[in-house]
Amino acid sequence: MARPYEEETDIPHANMSLAPAPVGRSLYRRGAVRVPLLATAAIALLAGVCAGFGRLGWEIPHVSALTELHGPLLICGLFGILVCLERAVALDRGWAYAAPALAALGTISLLAGAPVPVAGGLYVLAAAVLVGGLLVIVMLQPALFTGTLLFGALAWLAGNLLWVMGSPIADVVGWWLAFLILTIAAERLALSRLRPPRRGSEALFLFALGILLAGAQNGIMSKNGSTLFGVALLVTTAWLLRHDISLPSLRRTGQTRFVALCMLLGYAWIGVAGVALIGLPPGASAFGYDIALHAILTGFVLSTVFGHALLILPAIVRLRVRYAEILYAPLFLLQGAVALRVASGLAEWGAGRAAGGVLTGVALASFALAVAVVSRRNWSFAKEASGPVC
């Protein structure tokens, strides 16, 4: 059990992660393995963003071949590598590093022009290893949040298998979204244990989990699947606002308040996505798919990444990074970009959607630059935070 930390920034975890296991000599040496994996994730991010620009009509040299891979590069490439890597660090087993390595190979294969069955097959193997690692974690610490992590990995595995077998991305994206939503929600569930338990918390969480998976199974392009997925997002939003530690943490200062605001903004966006999926079903609305997808991936997922980015690098590659108030600028720019994307979708305004995509890229670049600038005098290899496997 983790000690009762008073501030979220005291918790040795990164976004979508468990606390790392105690550091051993073999794990320290694996730092040389993690940097190339993170570099591949960064390449997936860059390629995925450029592919997104191409889908919005921006002409970028050598990007046209990647436009159909925008989603897989970001979900399976970027986030698949990050989640697998953080699980490997948490588990502290050499074989667990096969998951991020396979995800990285899948990403390289996609960029090299390999057929979907080849690259997707590597993602299937990565998800299978991730599932195996999480089974070990569940056996070490049986709990609702570790079980939720396992269900998230199984959702990624299901989506990858369907994609390899020829299903269109629109039909499998529900599984991929469930992977990210459940992974993040599991971490927030773990942190919610620091607050006094409230009646009905676990029941509400399980209800949301069940209908989310049902919606993914039915497919968000169907009316039934879209409604179930949307209701699940609204219930998840209600659970997070009531039971998560972010709302009370907003009264604190410094990095704790920044992380809390990032999380709360992300929660607002999955609420917007839930409303969009119910009111503008992707199968019946011209831009309903785009609105829901980017409210989740850009609004929710990227906001949480901004919130915990200062913890990801210390946990994985032992680089000390600093917090500064300038980080609010790219965060608010990101929110403006998502708001413009959603509003442009509602108005069916193509130029606004394209501008929103560009602003998202600018927000990502400015956040990375801000972190580098405020941390440049303090970058040093630090001892990795120790803690229980949770």
Side-chain angles (χ1 to χ4, degrees):
M1 291 287 291
R3 64 182 176 86
Y5 297 91
E6 295 187 354
E7 296 197 22
E8 186 170 354
T9 52
D10 291 331
I11 301 172
H13 73 301
N15 182 50
M16 300 180 287
S17 72
L18 295 169
V23 180
R25 293 175 114 187
S26 61
L27 182 57
Y28 182 85
R29 287 195 294 267
R30 286 184 205 126
V33 175
R34 300 176 201 171
V35 173
L37 294 173
L38 283 176
T40 307
I43 292 170
L45 171 61
L46 180 61
V49 169
C50 289
F53 290 165
R55 291 177 65 88
L56 290 170
W58 296 95
E59 294 186 6
I60 303 175
H62 312 298
V63 168
S64 57
L66 297 177
T67 54
E68 296 303 316
L69 301 176
H70 170 60
L73 282 170
L74 292 177
I75 297 175
C76 298
L78 171 63
F79 295 116
I81 293 172
L82 290 179
V83 172
C84 289
L85 183 55
E86 290 179 296
R87 290 292 83 77
V89 173
L91 189 58
D92 191 18
R93 301 288 192 277
W95 58 265
Y97 284 83
L102 287 164
L105 286 174
T107 301
I108 293 169
S109 298
L110 279 183
L111 294 174
V116 167
V118 174
L122 290 167
Y123 286 139
V124 167
L125 293 175
V129 176
L130 177 63
V131 168
L134 286 168
L135 280 171
V136 173
I137 289 178
V138 169
M139 289 187 290
L140 289 172
Q141 185 174 0
L144 179 56
F145 78 94
T146 55
T148 302
L149 284 171
L150 177 59
F151 275 105
L154 287 169
W156 188 36
L157 177 60
N160 293 346
L161 284 169
L162 290 171
W163 186 42
V164 167
M165 291 188 294
S167 295
I169 290 175
D171 290 342
V172 305
V173 73
W175 289 112
W176 285 348
L177 294 177
F179 162 53
L180 298 177
I181 293 166
L182 292 178
T183 301
I184 297 172
E187 178 176 286
R188 308 315 299 179
L189 178 62
L191 294 177
S192 73
R193 298 177 304 161
L194 305 179
R195 302 184 67 186
R198 294 184 177 182
R199 180 179 296 179
S201 171
E202 289 193 354
L204 184 63
F205 188 91
L206 286 170
F207 175 68
L209 185 153
I211 56 176
L212 184 76
L213 294 176
Q217 166 64 34
N218 293 344
I220 65 171
M221 296 303 292
S222 70
K223 173 65 175 175
N224 177 267
S226 175
T227 300
L228 286 171
F229 210 92
V231 170
L233 294 183
L234 292 176
V235 175
T236 301
T237 301
W239 185 93
L240 289 166
L241 290 175
R242 177 170 174 77
H243 300 286
D244 186 51
I245 66 173
S246 295
L247 200 56
S249 295
L250 199 61
R251 295 192 294 267
R252 297 184 178 274
T253 59
Q255 185 175 335
T256 302
R257 175 182 287 177
F258 177 74
V259 173
L261 181 61
C262 289
M263 302 308 299
L264 290 170
L265 289 169
Y267 303 159
W269 284 119
I270 56 169
V272 170
V275 172
L277 285 169
I278 296 170
L280 299 169
S285 171
F287 290 104
Y289 180 82
D290 185 83
I291 291 170
L293 223 63
H294 289 88
I296 296 170
L297 292 175
T298 307
F300 173 57
V301 177
L302 286 185
S303 291
T304 62
V305 169
F306 275 28
H308 286 158
L310 304 185
L311 302 173
I312 291 174
L313 287 175
I316 294 180
V317 293
R318 300 180 300 281
L319 277 178
R320 284 203 183 102
V321 292
R322 290 181 58 222
Y323 158 80
E325 291 187 356
I326 193 176
L327 296 178
Y328 280 99
L331 173 64
F332 292 141
L333 181 59
L334 179 69
Q335 307 311 308
V338 185
L340 178 59
R341 185 73 179 251
V342 170
S344 299
L346 290 171
E348 300 187 8
W349 180 33
R353 292 175 61 244
V358 172
L359 283 178
T360 299
V362 173
L364 287 168
S366 60
F367 183 80
L369 179 61
V371 170
V373 168
V374 300
S375 303
R376 68 186 186 280
R377 295 181 181 178
N378 293 285
W379 277 2
S380 62
F381 284 99
K383 291 182 179 180
E384 199 159 344
S386 62
V389 176
C390 290

